[in-house]
Amino acid sequence: RNAFSTLNVRVISNWIDREFEAALNNIHLSAGPIGLPMGKLKVLIIANDLSDPTKVDRELVNRLAAMSDIEIYTIGKNSPFMGPNITNYGRIVDRGRMVEVITFSDVALFTSEKDTFGLVMIEVLACGIPVLAIDSLAAREVLGRVRIRPVENKSKIIDLLGNRELPGCYIGLESSILHKEILRHYGCDALISKYIQAYDYAIRGS
């Protein structure tokens, strides 16, 4: 775009695959406001490589795991996390199983500051599960589409989870509405429509 200032560039993001979207039909979405339970809190961590320090903040996860009322669940390979309140699922290939594990959790945590697009973040939100994400390009793009803001820093995440609170941008938001909004932007039908529009523009020039 910088080299060709007159070039009209259209970007089509990744989207939820058909198998994952089909599995979403089997979940129950609450009609009430999204919130965190006052009892045991199930926190989900997802990364391709959980040992990668650019993807997962190990110190933050260990601090949360040290809290007796928080349970940590991880999806991904090479998990460095161990303990009585930590469950490592490993890499999950089956999309239906992925939906099951996500919906079993209360909140998902994304601590990477390097990610440029958060496809897994989209999948979690499509399941109606709230996301707490450290500020990054990925978090800004994905969360911004549904009017959710990233969390400023990891200290704020610890405070929020310790107090069983979500950021103010979640106030009044329902799981069912969050699910519909994500599919409106990142569902298969939405992205097919964007491709058709892009090809039509390329052919017709308008």
Side-chain angles (χ1 to χ4, degrees):
R1 184 177 290 178
N2 291 334
F4 302 96
S5 58
T6 60
L7 190 65
N8 190 333
V9 178
R10 296 193 173 197
V11 177
I12 298 177
S13 305
N14 287 337
W15 65 91
I16 296 170
D17 61 76
R18 284 283 186 196
E19 189 178 353
F20 190 93
E21 191 167 332
L24 292 174
N25 294 326
N26 300 321
I27 66 175
H28 172 73
L29 294 165
S30 171
I34 293 174
L36 299 180
M38 293 308 296
K40 288 279 187 180
L41 183 65
K42 298 185 286 293
V43 178
L44 181 64
I45 314 290
I46 307 176
N48 179 53
D49 186 349
L50 292 158
S51 67
D52 184 346
T54 68
K55 299 294 184 181
V56 180
D57 189 319
R58 192 177 301 188
E59 179 190 5
L60 174 58
V61 176
N62 285 331
R63 287 178 66 180
L64 292 174
M67 300 181 183
S68 59
D69 55 354
I70 288 182
E71 297 175 346
I72 303 292
Y73 296 84
T74 74
I75 298 175
K77 64 183 180 181
N78 301 328
S79 175
F81 308 111
M82 302 292 290
N85 59 337
I86 296 175
T87 300
N88 295 307
Y89 286 103
R91 185 166 175 264
I92 298 177
V93 177
D94 183 85
R95 308 301 277 153
R97 178 58 176 158
M98 185 76 163
V99 169
E100 287 178 8
V101 173
I102 291 173
T103 53
F104 179 71
S105 63
D106 298 310
V107 61
L109 187 60
F110 293 88
T111 62
S112 173
E113 299 177 17
K114 306 290 185 181
D115 282 350
T116 55
F117 189 76
L119 181 58
V120 179
M121 210 179 295
I122 289 171
E123 293 173 345
V124 171
L125 293 169
C127 292
I129 300 300
V131 162
L132 295 182
I134 296 292
D135 189 37
S136 67
L137 288 174
R140 270 176 259 143
E141 177 175 356
V142 172
L143 299 182
R145 286 288 181 94
V146 287
R147 296 173 295 281
I148 296 172
R149 292 184 297 276
V151 181
E152 307 91 84
N153 52 60
K154 61 185 180 182
S155 295
K156 182 65 174 178
I157 286 179
I158 291 173
D159 290 342
L160 286 168
L161 296 182
N163 294 322
R164 297 299 188 272
E165 295 177 354
L166 291 172
C169 50
Y170 279 99
I171 293 176
L173 188 59
E174 300 174 4
S175 294
S176 56
I177 293 175
L178 183 59
H179 166 83
K180 291 176 182 176
E181 277 291 289
I182 285 294
L183 290 185
R184 186 167 71 86
H185 292 291
Y186 298 108
C188 292
D189 290 342
L191 271 297
I192 289 172
S193 176
K194 289 183 181 180
Y195 267 108
I196 292 173
Q197 291 172 15
Y199 284 125
D200 185 65
Y201 181 85
I203 294 169
R204 300 175 185 272
S206 61

